[in-house]
Amino acid sequence: MKKKAKSIISAILVCVFLVLFVPVPTGTYKDGGTRIYTALTYKIVRWSVLMDSALYKKTFVFLLPDNFKTYEELWEIEKAEKWDEYKVTY
């Protein structure tokens, strides 16, 4: 292959990997400050949820196919599995 073609292919591969794996901030919720960062292959959720008199704080990574679920669906999954382990009362 020519040197120019190799550099073009390399540049395209770098761009594809950036799109697939670099998370972009997609929202902050007024539930206590939950932040969501999304890439095409995963979603990072930094939970900070006020419930009753407790604050739930945790960071979790959702991989395919859960990364395409909505905030509400992800919260229902998280609440059902982990709420009692991580709650902090104040």
Side-chain angles (χ1 to χ4, degrees), residues 15 25 64 76 78:
C15 289
L64 283 169
E76 289 301 319
E78 187 71 16

Side-chain angles (χ1 to χ4, degrees), residues 1-83:
M1 272 187 163
K2 295 181 180 180
K3 187 175 181 178
K4 186 175 182 179
K6 285 183 182 181
S7 64
I8 290 174
I9 291 173
S10 297
I12 290 172
L13 287 175
V14 167
C15 289
V16 167
F17 282 116
L18 287 174
V19 168
L20 290 175
F21 297 108
V22 174
V24 176
T26 54
T28 301
Y29 292 87
K30 294 182 180 180
D31 61 351
T34 297
R35 298 192 56 125
I36 297 179
Y37 304 89
T38 305
L40 287 178
T41 54
Y42 63 97
K43 183 180 285 191
I44 300 170
V45 181
R46 293 183 61 204
W47 299 108
S48 181
V49 180
L50 293 171
M51 290 188 64
D52 301 325
S53 63
L55 177 65
Y56 180 83
K57 291 188 75 111
K58 184 181 173 192
T59 300
F60 198 79
V61 178
F62 294 94
L63 301 174
L64 283 169
D66 289 336
N67 65 323
F68 293 111
K69 292 184 177 179
T70 65
Y71 164 79
E72 289 81 13
E73 291 172 320
L74 295 175
W75 175 241
E76 289 301 319
I77 292 169
E78 187 71 16
K79 186 171 63 170
E81 293 178 3
K82 305 288 185 179
W83 173 246

